[in-house]
Amino acid sequence: MITKNSPKEHRIILKYADDPNYSNRLGCYLREGGYEMLRKALKMKPEEIGEEVLKSGVRGRGGAGFPAGMKWKFLDRKSGKPIYLICNADESEPGTFKDRQIMHKDPHQLIEGMMIAAYAIQAKQAFIYIRAEFFEGARILERAIAEAKEKGFCGEKILGSDYSCDLVVHRGAGAYICGEETGLIESLEGKRPNPRIKPPFFPAVLGLYQCPTIVNNVETLCNVKHVLEMGGDEFAKIGKPNNTGTRIWCVSGQVKKPGYYEFECGALTLGEMIFDVCGGLLPGRSLKAVIPGGSSAKILRADERFVGKHKDGTDFDWGIEDIPLDFDGPMAAGSMSGSGGIIVMDDTVDIVEAMANVNAFYAHESCGQCTPCREGCLWMKKITKRMCDGDAREEDPDMLLSIANQIEGRTICAFGEAAAWPTQSFIAKFRDEFVKKAKPSKRSKNSLQLI
Amino acid sequence: MELTKETLQEIDEVVPRYPDKRSAVLMVIHLIQDELGAISDETCEWIAEKLDIEPINVKELITFYPMLRETPWGKTHVRVCRTLPCALRGSYATCQKLEKKLGVKEGHVREDGEYSIEFMECLADCGEGPVVMVDEETYENIDEKEAGKLADLLLMGKLDDSAEFVSYEKGLLSETVTKAKKSSSKAKK
Ligand SMILES: Cc1cc2nc3c(=O)[nH]c(=O)nc-3n(C[C@H](O)[C@H](O)[C@H](O)COP(=O)(O)O)c2cc1C
Ligand code: SF4
Ligand code: FES
């Protein structure tokens, strides 16, 4: 139950999303002061906007948490090639469902954020790469762009200025790897989405059509609007140093009230999120494990202690409930906040089944370019599946770990790590369960099937 | 291969949006697949010619992307989310219930072509799992029991007007853009 002291949501990005008097049409957006920041932006120098974004400290919301202002600074402006802006709206990390809300419920906020960002980096053209399962989402964005164009908020000579930038919605076709930014770029070029080798060249130097390109997540780009509204310094006061602004956390799995919740970074702990905001666990259950940042993040065991030193030298000693929800908290606990997808598992979950489910995902989604990833993911799936089917072999837990260790660090893109980390952390933390399952056994009749 | 005038027009609208024609290929494939249900070799050739690329450049996409098809799904295509958050809420039971009710195994099309089921990876609505999509609409919290009811309504042709099952799309606080087009429903057999 929500107690009196339970932390309050602080909605900036989702301020209007669920307001019954608000719709996804332009009229509503304008009524609430929409596109005023774009107007303001066009009167500024592009570099000034970049400076504000840098000062704001806003970090990418797509997974890696890289500061947006810094990424923009890496843009190659000397080559004279056209610059492109891409919004990563692939939202494919299991456990994540925040960009869905923004695009379906407040599409103009994204468009305004994008047009400000596009002007700041002087993009020639901007794209929204949206996952194809968002059929209606793509139509909503197309309609919103048409509405915006009609009023001069994007397209030719925006709001009467000299700046023109077209915005195009591009649909994927159901592949997770299109969320990886260079896979996305390949896909947008009309090719198979095989991620590119980097370093040395990142999209900011050689991106779409080998031109300098910025790829940012939906939530990141929405934040740009609010940075401009508040000013970089004011924005940086929200949250904590190095963890500025709000974050939309997506909670799924076995809690009473799963959902999306926007909080100031660091305003609450994982325990408060699960037990206060989400109403706690289902009746009679206890907490077993949490994956804090989408299925690629390392799993946390409910009875672990997380001990270490902060960057400023102070010590911490946390239980799982004490982990602060920001960028650095889950990282200090040995995992990551990733895309903000918190997956909660209670004591009814068979951890090997959960592992098999996750491994099946990565085996399905590997693009297949790198042998360790393609073959490793397949075998991790096969082994965990056979463990659940009662055909386990004694050596399976060690074999699994060995495969995961041979993927990590040996692949073209970070999908390799995303696939290896779950297996490595599941086995490190629940070895006893894997060992127990390594003997042939039948699935009990009432257990929850996860594979 | 025959396409309606509207689709041809939409294709001609989409291609010039990109600095490079080849970039339009996914969007063109979507437009054609919406109408024909699948992309045949002949269609690959047509698209390739349209975009100045080789047929293999189209074919390699059809064989890579999970949502692109060489053979059509059923008239009504049901997608069930398989991934962990939904599974933790019972999506395996949901899928099995739907298989039983609709008379077709996941990954397959019913013999009469009416229904097909696909067990999909995360549909980005994990807070309301198990998630089931019927054609282009998303139904939330469809556990085994709800799946039975949903399937019954679907079989009676009453799901669309049901007050009990309102899709995420219909529940948005604005009229939906176009009444959700039914992908694959126009599939010619
Ligand atoms: C396998 C993989 C999948 C990814 N999926 C997504 C995704 O669905 N959405 C997203 O915004 N970023 C995703 N990313 C991160 C992007 O590569 C990229 O870092 C991000 O879009 C940058 O935007 P940001 O700096 O605003 O976070 C993924 C990364 C990897 C390695
Ligand atoms: S790591 Fe996996 S997904 Fe990434 S490029 Fe290699 S094979 Fe493809
Ligand atoms: S796991 Fe089912 S929608 Fe994400």
Side-chain angles (χ1 to χ4, degrees):
Chain A
M1 279 290 96
I2 300 217
T3 58
K4 265 202 200 107
N5 317 334
S6 91
K8 282 241 159 29
E9 271 197 80
H10 181 122
R11 285 188 169 210
I12 295 177
I13 306 293
L14 295 178
K15 184 166 178 197
Y16 299 109
D18 295 309
D19 178 342
N21 298 312
Y22 192 81
S23 83
N24 52 24
R25 306 306 299 269
L26 181 63
C28 273
Y29 192 64
L30 291 177
R31 190 186 72 204
E32 303 298 345
Y35 290 108
E36 282 310 310
M37 287 308 117
L38 176 60
R39 212 178 286 280
K40 177 175 164 185
L42 291 167
K43 292 192 185 114
M44 293 167 71
K45 289 208 190 83
E47 315 81 80
E48 286 171 357
I49 302 170
E51 279 308 312
E52 293 304 315
V53 173
L54 196 62
K55 273 196 272 180
S56 75
V58 67
R59 293 171 65 174
R61 266 59 173 167
F66 195 80
M70 201 113 79
K71 192 190 280 187
W72 295 9
K73 278 219 170 236
F74 291 153
L75 263 181
D76 171 21
R77 296 173 182 284
K78 280 181 270 164
S79 68
K81 291 192 220 168
I83 294 169
Y84 293 103
L85 174 69
I86 304 173
C87 170
N88 189 340
D90 197 55
E91 186 142 85
S92 43
E93 177 70 22
T96 318
F97 45 98
K98 61 191 180 65
D99 300 338
R100 159 191 284 275
Q101 317 306 338
I102 298 169
M103 291 186 286
H104 284 85
K105 297 171 180 174
D106 200 2
H108 284 286
Q109 181 184 197
L110 174 61
I111 296 171
E112 183 172 13
M114 281 190 76
M115 295 324 290
I116 296 169
Y119 174 73
I121 65 170
Q122 289 289 294
K124 178 173 173 268
Q125 194 174 359
F127 296 91
I128 301 176
Y129 189 105
I130 184 170
R131 61 178 301 167
E133 296 88 341
F134 290 170
F135 296 94
E136 184 70 6
R139 285 191 287 262
I140 288 171
L141 285 168
E142 296 236 10
R143 176 174 68 185
I145 290 169
E147 286 175 332
K149 256 189 197 156
E150 211 192 324
K151 296 273 191 238
F153 299 130
C154 74
E156 291 296 308
K157 303 221 172 283
I158 296 170
L159 290 170
S161 72
D162 284 336
Y163 180 66
S164 302
C165 182
D166 204 12
L167 180 51
V168 171
V169 178
H170 184 86
R171 295 178 63 210
Y176 168 66
I177 199 57
C178 294
E180 198 279 343
E181 57 185 8
T182 59
L184 185 156
I185 287 170
E186 289 284 309
S187 175
L188 186 46
E189 289 183 359
K191 302 171 187 157
R192 274 197 175 187
N194 291 340
R196 296 176 180 171
I197 295 178
K198 60 201 134 35
F201 296 115
F202 288 91
V205 178
L206 294 175
L208 187 64
Y209 313 124
Q210 301 298 316
C211 295
T213 303
I214 290 296
V215 183
N216 273 133
N217 170 261
V218 172
E219 189 187 347
T220 314
L221 287 165
C222 288
N223 268 302
V224 170
K225 174 196 160 170
H226 301 284
V227 167
L228 207 62
E229 187 160 359
M230 295 175 213
D233 290 326
E234 258 334 280
F235 185 95
K237 289 184 191 152
I238 306 172
K240 296 197 304 204
N242 201 36
N243 297 265
T244 58
T246 61
R247 279 196 78 169
I248 307 172
W249 301 100
C250 310
V251 189
S252 63
Q254 291 153 325
V255 291
K256 283 212 187 93
K257 292 193 310 172
Y260 48 92
Y261 303 98
E262 184 177 355
F263 281 95
E264 265 187 55
C265 277
L268 80 174
T269 61
L270 186 53
E272 288 171 314
M273 177 60 94
I274 294 171
F275 293 102
D276 298 327
V277 177
C278 296
L281 304 169
L282 306 177
R285 312 270 183 100
S286 61
L287 188 64
K288 180 164 191 171
V290 178
I291 304 176
S295 72
S296 305
K298 292 189 174 175
I299 195 169
L300 308 171
R301 188 177 165 132
D303 54 5
E304 272 185 271
R305 293 302 303 176
F306 305 94
V307 186
K309 254 193 199 334
H310 289 298
K311 275 199 198 107
D312 63 7
T314 54
D315 295 315
F316 63 86
D317 179 4
W318 295 327
I320 197 168
E321 294 180 17
D322 307 319
I323 298 172
L325 284 185
D326 51 25
F327 287 88
D328 295 339
M331 187 80 93
S335 185
M336 63 174 181
S337 64
S339 55
I342 300 172
I343 307 170
V344 181
M345 287 175 261
D346 67 31
D347 56 340
T348 62
V349 174
D350 180 325
I351 221 71
V352 184
E353 291 250 349
M355 177 89 275
N357 182 293
V358 171
N359 284 346
F361 174 80
Y362 292 102
H364 187 264
E365 301 298 338
S366 167
C367 86
Q369 281 194 98
C370 321
T371 313
C373 171
R374 182 187 64 241
E375 303 298 318
C377 290
L378 182 70
W379 279 105
M380 293 197 300
K381 166 191 149 167
K382 283 190 177 181
I383 293 172
T384 37
K385 172 95 169 63
R386 79 176 174 220
M387 293 178 85
C388 296
D389 289 344
D391 300 323
R393 303 178 192 169
E394 187 97 15
E395 66 270 23
D396 278 352
D398 288 329
M399 175 94 80
L400 267 178
L401 190 58
S402 145
I403 297 170
N405 290 343
Q406 291 177 75
I407 300 175
E408 191 186 15
R410 291 182 172 84
T411 59
I412 290 174
C413 86
F415 180 103
E417 279 71 40
W421 287 339
T423 295
Q424 291 171 333
S425 60
F426 271 65
I427 296 182
K429 299 187 181 181
F430 294 95
R431 192 169 186 92
D432 47 335
E433 297 202 24
F434 282 87
V435 171
K436 223 194 284 166
K437 263 257 164 56
K439 293 189 204 81
S441 61
K442 278 225 168 74
R443 179 185 275 132
S444 80
K445 240 182 142 189
N446 301 322
S447 71
L448 180 65
Q449 185 185 351
L450 299 175
I451 187 66
Chain B
M1 186 190 74
E2 257 175 78
L3 294 171
T4 59
K5 235 171 62 205
E6 292 81 56
T7 303
L8 288 169
Q9 213 172 348
E10 280 180 276
I11 291 172
D12 286 333
E13 234 171 83
V14 152
V15 177
R17 290 181 189 170
Y18 297 88
D20 177 23
K21 268 188 187 176
R22 182 172 181 179
S23 279
V25 62
L26 266 186
M27 295 296 272
V28 171
I29 291 172
H30 277 305
L31 286 168
I32 298 179
Q33 187 172 295
D34 275 357
E35 181 168 335
L36 303 179
I39 307 290
S40 65
D41 286 352
E42 188 200 346
T43 308
C44 284
E45 280 164 29
W46 187 90
I47 296 172
E49 185 157 330
K50 184 97 194 157
L51 301 177
D52 288 335
I53 51 181
E54 297 300 324
I56 186 65
N57 301 140
V58 184
K59 190 78 179 173
E60 67 179 357
L61 306 184
I62 310 297
T63 53
F64 183 95
Y65 288 97
M67 287 173 75
L68 306 186
R69 304 282 303 163
E70 290 175 283
T71 54
W73 285 119
K75 262 196 204 159
T76 299
H77 184 50
V78 178
R79 298 177 168 94
V80 185
C81 177
R82 188 208 66 85
T83 314
L84 188 61
C86 280
L88 288 169
R89 294 247 155 196
S91 65
Y92 272 76
T94 296
C95 191
Q96 285 151 13
K97 187 72 168 189
L98 291 169
E99 287 178 329
K100 215 188 250 162
K101 284 267 178 186
L102 301 178
V104 57
K105 285 269 169 219
E106 61 98 358
H108 294 268
V109 181
R110 200 166 84 176
E111 244 166 62
D112 62 3
E114 287 296 315
Y115 296 99
S116 51
I117 300 179
E118 186 182 12
F119 218 10
M120 300 264 294
E121 300 303 338
C122 180
L123 295 167
D125 198 12
C126 333
E128 307 290 337
V131 176
V132 172
M133 290 185 80
V134 178
D135 292 324
E136 300 189 357
E137 293 192 52
T138 314
Y139 296 89
E140 306 179 319
N141 298 302
I142 309 297
D143 60 11
E144 185 179 8
K145 205 167 128 219
E146 294 294 296
K149 286 195 244 169
L150 180 136
D152 287 338
L153 287 168
L154 185 59
L155 288 164
M156 289 186 294
K158 288 187 178 157
L159 182 62
D160 249 359
D161 322 306
S162 153
E164 199 184 341
F165 292 93
V166 179
S167 68
Y168 176 88
E169 289 77 8
K170 285 217 185 82
L172 290 171
L173 299 166
S174 163
E175 73 277 24
T176 44
V177 179
T178 48
K179 167 128 179 37
K181 268 202 284 185
K182 292 196 175 175
S183 65
S184 77
S185 67
K186 287 178 284 175
K188 285 176 195 156
K189 272 183 265 53

